[in-house]
Amino acid sequence: DSGVTQTPKHLITATGQRVTLRCSPRSGDLSVYWYQQSLDQGLQFLIQYYNGEERAKGNILERFSAQQFPDLHSELNLSSLELGDSALYFCASSVFGDRRETQYFGPGTRLLVL
Amino acid sequence: EDKVVQSPLSLVVHEGDTVTLNCSYEVTNFRSLLWYKQEKKAPTFLFMLTSSGIEKKSGRLSSILDKKELFSILNITATQTGDSAIYLCAVSWDNYGQNFVFGPGTRLSVLP
C-alpha cells in the first residue's frame, strides 16, 4: 500500500458524459501527478500539481482538466467522454515534486466508456 | 519527437535465469531515467538514474545509464516467479517539474 488513495476504483459511463476522479496523496506529499494507461498508448503522463499550482503538463487533452485543492487532494475532470478515453487512470504523489524524488502510485481508477 | 523504446517487448524465462531489459531514448533536455515494475495494478518505483556509468543496485536488481549512447539496462539475476511483471522505463525532461515519457514496457514472465 503506497499511501495514495484513489476513488472510485471502477467507473462505467457513456460517451459524452463527464466524470471526476479523485486522488488523495500520501500524508506530507505536496505534489500530485496524473497518468493515463491504455492498451494502445501505454502509460502517459498527463499533468502535475505542486501545492495547488500546476507545475508540468504532458499529453493532457483539452477536454480534461485537473486541480489540486488546499487540502492537497486532487481531482481529474474528464468531459465529453469518448470511447478512446477508456483507460486506467493513476495518480501518484511525491513530497516536493522534484525530479529526483520517488513517486508513489495509487491503485488507479479504471474508466470504461460505453 | 521525444520517445522511449524498450526491448524486448516480451520475455519468458525460467526461475534462476538472468535477464537484461533494454531502454533507449531520444528526448530533448534529458533529466533522468526511471524504471518501474508494474504487476497487477499500479507501477512501483525501482530506480532513478541521472548520471552515466553509476550502477544502482537493489537486491537482485541493478541498473545503469549510458547518457552518451542514450540507453539504460535493467538486470535481474536469479529470477523468481515474483519477478513476473511489466517493467516500464520512463524518461523525464523539464527544467522545473517532471514531464515524462514512458516506453511501452517489457512483459517478463518467469516460469517455475
Side-chain angles (χ1 to χ4, degrees):
Chain A
D1 183 1
S2 66
V4 178
T5 60
Q6 289 187 248
T7 57
K9 288 186 180 176
H10 301 275
L11 195 50
I12 302 175
T13 188
T15 53
Q17 295 297 304
R18 174 189 172 92
V19 297
T20 297
L21 313 183
R22 184 188 168 103
C23 167
S24 293
R26 293 186 320 156
S27 177
D29 284 0
L30 298 175
S31 192
V32 168
Y33 309 77
W34 285 99
Y35 295 88
Q36 178 195 58
Q37 187 173 40
S38 59
L39 284 175
D40 57 342
Q41 297 279 352
L43 191 62
Q44 292 196 88
F45 166 70
L46 296 178
I47 197 164
Q48 178 201 2
Y49 280 83
Y50 172 73
N51 206 22
E53 304 267 333
E54 181 185 305
R55 176 169 277 192
K57 203 175 232 186
N59 297 320
I60 188 165
L61 299 172
E62 285 191 13
R63 300 183 286 109
F64 296 180
S65 64
Q67 55 183 332
Q68 186 180 27
F69 294 87
D71 68 352
L72 301 176
H73 90 272
S74 178
E75 293 180 357
L76 178 67
N77 298 298
L78 314 176
S79 61
S80 302
L81 285 168
E82 302 174 0
L83 296 177
D85 298 328
S86 296
L88 193 52
Y89 290 84
F90 287 111
C91 164
S93 73
S94 68
V95 180
F96 296 116
D98 186 272
R99 60 180 175 85
R100 292 162 292 185
E101 289 182 306
T102 300
Q103 293 179 33
Y104 295 89
F105 280 74
T109 292
R110 186 171 293 281
L111 172 66
L112 181 59
V113 182
L114 301 176
Chain B
E1 181 187 340
D2 297 321
K3 65 178 181 180
V4 176
V5 176
Q6 290 186 247
S7 64
L9 292 180
S10 182
L11 188 57
V12 180
V13 299
H14 286 94
E15 274 192 314
D17 289 349
T18 292
V19 297
T20 297
L21 310 183
N22 302 289
C23 174
S24 62
Y25 61 90
E26 290 178 28
V27 298
T28 53
N29 203 26
F30 170 89
R31 292 298 180 185
S32 61
L33 185 143
L34 303 95
W35 285 98
Y36 290 89
K37 178 182 181 183
Q38 185 173 24
E39 295 176 84
K40 293 174 186 172
K41 274 268 186 137
T44 53
F45 173 82
L46 295 175
F47 298 110
M48 175 180 280
L49 304 159
T50 55
S51 301
S52 261
I54 299 174
E55 186 182 50
K56 292 211 171 180
K57 284 182 73 84
S58 176
R60 297 175 293 102
L61 276 67
S62 64
S63 184
I64 197 161
L65 174 67
D66 185 328
K67 288 168 74 174
K68 183 179 176 186
E69 299 298 329
L70 309 182
F71 79 92
S72 174
I73 59 172
L74 175 68
N75 281 317
I76 309 175
T77 59
T79 51
Q80 302 170 359
T81 54
D83 295 327
S84 295
I86 296 173
Y87 290 85
L88 296 165
C89 172
V91 174
S92 76
W93 76 98
D94 197 301
N95 287 321
Y96 188 43
Q98 293 201 69
N99 210 330
F100 296 92
V101 61
F102 281 81
T106 293
R107 181 179 293 275
L108 173 66
S109 300
V110 182
L111 304 178

